[in-house]
Amino acid sequence: MNKTAIITGASKGIGRQMAKAFAENGYNLLINYNNSKKEAEELCQQLNSKGIIAYAYKADVSDRKQVDFMVEFCIKRFKNIDLLINNAGVAQSILFTDITQDDWKRMIDINLTGVFNCTQSVVKYMISEKKGKIINISSIWGMVGGSCEVHYSTVKAGIIGFTKALAKELGPSNIQVNSIAPGVIQTDMLKGLNDKDLEELKYDTPLMRLGTADDIAECALFLASDKADFITGQVISPNGGFVI
Ligand code: NAP
């Protein structure tokens, strides 16, 4: 029987590439999106035309009710959830002194409460099955801190603490909880950077290139596979050597 994955924020960027990679590896998919309906539905149709069972589902991860409806929909369609990837996220580059209460709240609500909402909603089904895998997308800035991204770094560090604590609590239920902390990955999230910034980031990366969404998808495939059954509570950082 095919495994089932929920990938949050799968309409674009890293989440979209992960959805494609998991579909190619035999997963049924729930493609979560919030604003990018067209992109999510187009991806879903592409996968359906290849015989893959996938649904696009709109839910704002920061809204618990919407998340619970999404998870119930997934259970009704697929009966079980083998994998949750908490990928949905927003970024903002801003001086600490300019961060408003609204900026701060939005960052916490989407990037951190979103992870809590989705995980708590899914985990009860995994516990009753006594198996499951959860992958939380953090960032190198959650490991080492990023200037002009204090609120982003805070939530991404929070995701690492969440991952470690939950891994301890859910280990006895045979549920592995891990985090991927990507380096600089070429997606829409970098669109605020100019060519010079991107060249400098490349120069600061020992492997001399920026990462791709595929670099992260490959890492997620490994963590979701049986080969990673003894790995839990860990942070893996595909970053080209940017942070060592
Ligand atoms: P992206 O291309 O901007 O995609 C972000 C995704 O998150 C979109 O699919 C978006 O969906 C979704 N999203 C945003 N707010 C949402 C909400 N409230 N509810 C549901 N979905 C929501 O960015 P990306 O680079 O792929 O980022 C994916 C993850 O990787 C994020 O957690 C990010 O922090 C992390 N990351 C990225 C980098 C990088 O360099 N790119 C580095 C480290 C970590 P809609 O458009 O449908 O709203």
Side-chain angles (χ1 to χ4, degrees):
M1 202 172 84
N2 282 3
K3 288 185 173 175
T4 297
I6 295 181
I7 304 178
T8 68
S11 51
K12 296 197 315 198
I14 293 171
R16 186 181 184 88
Q17 190 57 34
M18 288 196 288
K20 288 183 187 170
F22 278 93
E24 275 167 22
N25 281 269
Y27 279 74
N28 300 324
L29 284 176
L30 190 123
I31 295 165
N32 161 256
Y33 69 95
N34 189 30
N35 293 315
S36 305
K37 181 174 199 274
K38 190 168 151 276
E39 288 85 346
E41 287 185 346
E42 180 227 58
L43 171 63
C44 198
Q45 279 160 15
Q46 265 178 34
L47 299 178
N48 293 158
S49 70
K50 292 181 186 163
I52 291 146
I53 306 176
Y55 296 94
Y57 196 101
K58 175 176 163 59
D60 177 346
V61 292
S62 68
D63 182 318
R64 182 56 187 264
K65 272 199 185 133
Q66 293 184 32
V67 167
D68 286 345
F69 280 130
M70 172 175 78
V71 171
E72 278 166 31
F73 172 88
C74 192
I75 288 290
K76 271 192 199 123
R77 288 289 185 284
F78 297 118
K79 309 272 182 282
N80 61 333
I81 300 166
D82 301 279
L83 170 68
L84 167 67
I85 305 186
N86 284 308
N87 166 77
V90 291
Q92 185 186 26
S93 184
I94 185 170
L95 279 175
F96 175 67
T97 44
D98 291 342
I99 296 175
T100 64
Q101 286 282 323
D102 282 351
D103 292 333
W104 179 261
K105 187 171 182 313
R106 177 169 180 265
M107 191 59 73
I108 303 274
D109 286 353
I110 298 176
N111 288 15
L112 197 52
T113 307
V115 173
F116 167 78
N117 285 342
C118 295
T119 306
Q120 206 180 47
S121 190
V122 162
V123 102
K124 58 179 185 276
Y125 298 104
M126 290 182 171
I127 290 171
S128 69
E129 291 292 317
K130 275 234 158 222
K131 67 180 168 66
K133 287 195 160 68
I134 300 170
I135 299 173
N136 300 317
I137 307 298
S138 174
S139 162
I140 48 169
W141 304 130
M143 298 166 71
V144 298
S147 170
C148 294
E149 298 197 69
V150 170
H151 51 357
Y152 183 78
S153 303
T154 302
V155 292
K156 292 301 187 182
I159 286 175
I160 292 174
F162 176 93
T163 299
K164 292 181 179 184
L166 195 64
K168 288 185 179 173
E169 191 168 324
L170 295 183
S173 299
N174 190 31
I175 298 166
Q176 291 84 358
V177 189
N178 289 293
S179 179
I180 297 177
V184 185
I185 309 298
Q186 283 173 298
T187 69
D188 282 1
M189 206 166 257
L190 302 191
K191 68 184 172 201
L193 302 179
N194 60 34
D195 288 350
K196 189 171 158 279
D197 297 333
L198 293 174
E199 271 312 305
E200 277 173 13
L201 285 166
K202 249 191 234 175
Y203 185 78
D204 289 339
T205 305
L207 289 177
M208 299 301 287
R209 69 169 175 89
L210 301 181
T212 64
D214 200 42
D215 291 323
I216 309 308
E218 286 299 323
C219 187
L221 275 174
F222 168 68
L223 283 178
S225 74
D226 298 347
K227 290 175 189 159
D229 276 353
F230 200 52
I231 299 176
T232 197
Q234 303 305 308
V235 183
I236 297 188
S237 184
N239 64 47
F242 192 87
V243 170
I244 290 177

